[in-house]
Every structure is written in C-alpha cells, then in structure tokens.
Amino acid sequence: MSAEDLEKYETEMELTLYREYRDVVGIFKYVVETDRRFYLCNQVDVKARSESGDVFFEVSMTDAWVWDMYRPARFAKNVKVLTFKDVNVEELAPQDIDPPKD
C-alpha cells in the first residue's frame, strides 16, 4: 500500500465518521472532550480524584458514542475515562445539534 493509498483510505474513513456523527448527534445530550477522544453521551459525571498528591479526573458516561475512526463499534453503554489532562463537558442545546445539511 502506497502512502497515497493510505492517505486516501484515512480520508474516506474520516468522511464516513463525520457522516455517522452527523446522523447520531441529535440523539445525545452532552459533548465530552478529553485529551485523547471526543464523545457524545446522554449522561456524564466528572469527579476530581487525588492520589499521592496528583489530581486526575474520572469521567463516567452512559449511552455514549466515541469519535474514533479505527474503532469498529463506536456505541458503548458505559464508558469510564481516567485522565490527568483537562476534560471539557458541554450540554448540547437543541439548536446546537442541527448539523449542516449536505
């Protein structure tokens, strides 16, 4: 596989992922962004934890969709993320979830 073929494949995968996102965003209430992933979910709980002086975040999500083009199943009933980095949680307003039409 050439570098050009790989780039074309990844571009197609990203487009497919965006289309899936556009199709499912309306069924979720929250957007959660961590340093490694982007999630849509219907329930989210973020807790700051401390261990040995280090602070980290425990993020629990229910009914989630994961933005990851290499993941074969992007829907998950329950997701738990532990991270030392920032976590961004936004509640989607109905007008926020209307993606642009093709």
Side-chain angles (χ1 to χ4, degrees), residues 1 4-14 70:
M1 181 179 264
E4 186 176 306
D5 290 339
L6 181 59
E7 186 173 324
K8 183 179 177 185
Y9 171 76
E10 286 184 344
T11 300
E12 289 173 5
M13 291 292 293
E14 287 176 2
Y70 298 109

Side-chain angles (χ1 to χ4, degrees), residues 45-49 56-60 80-83 87:
D45 182 45
V46 180
K47 292 187 171 104
R49 305 277 190 199
F56 63 95
F57 298 99
E58 179 181 337
V59 184
S60 300
K80 185 177 282 192
V81 176
L82 302 176
T83 182
V87 175

Side-chain angles (χ1 to χ4, degrees), residues 29-51:
K29 189 172 179 181
Y30 297 98
V31 172
V32 179
E33 187 176 5
T34 69
D35 61 315
R36 298 196 57 195
R37 297 280 189 278
F38 175 87
Y39 303 87
L40 298 171
C41 63
N42 285 320
Q43 214 171 15
V44 62
D45 182 45
V46 180
K47 292 187 171 104
R49 305 277 190 199
S50 181
E51 188 172 304

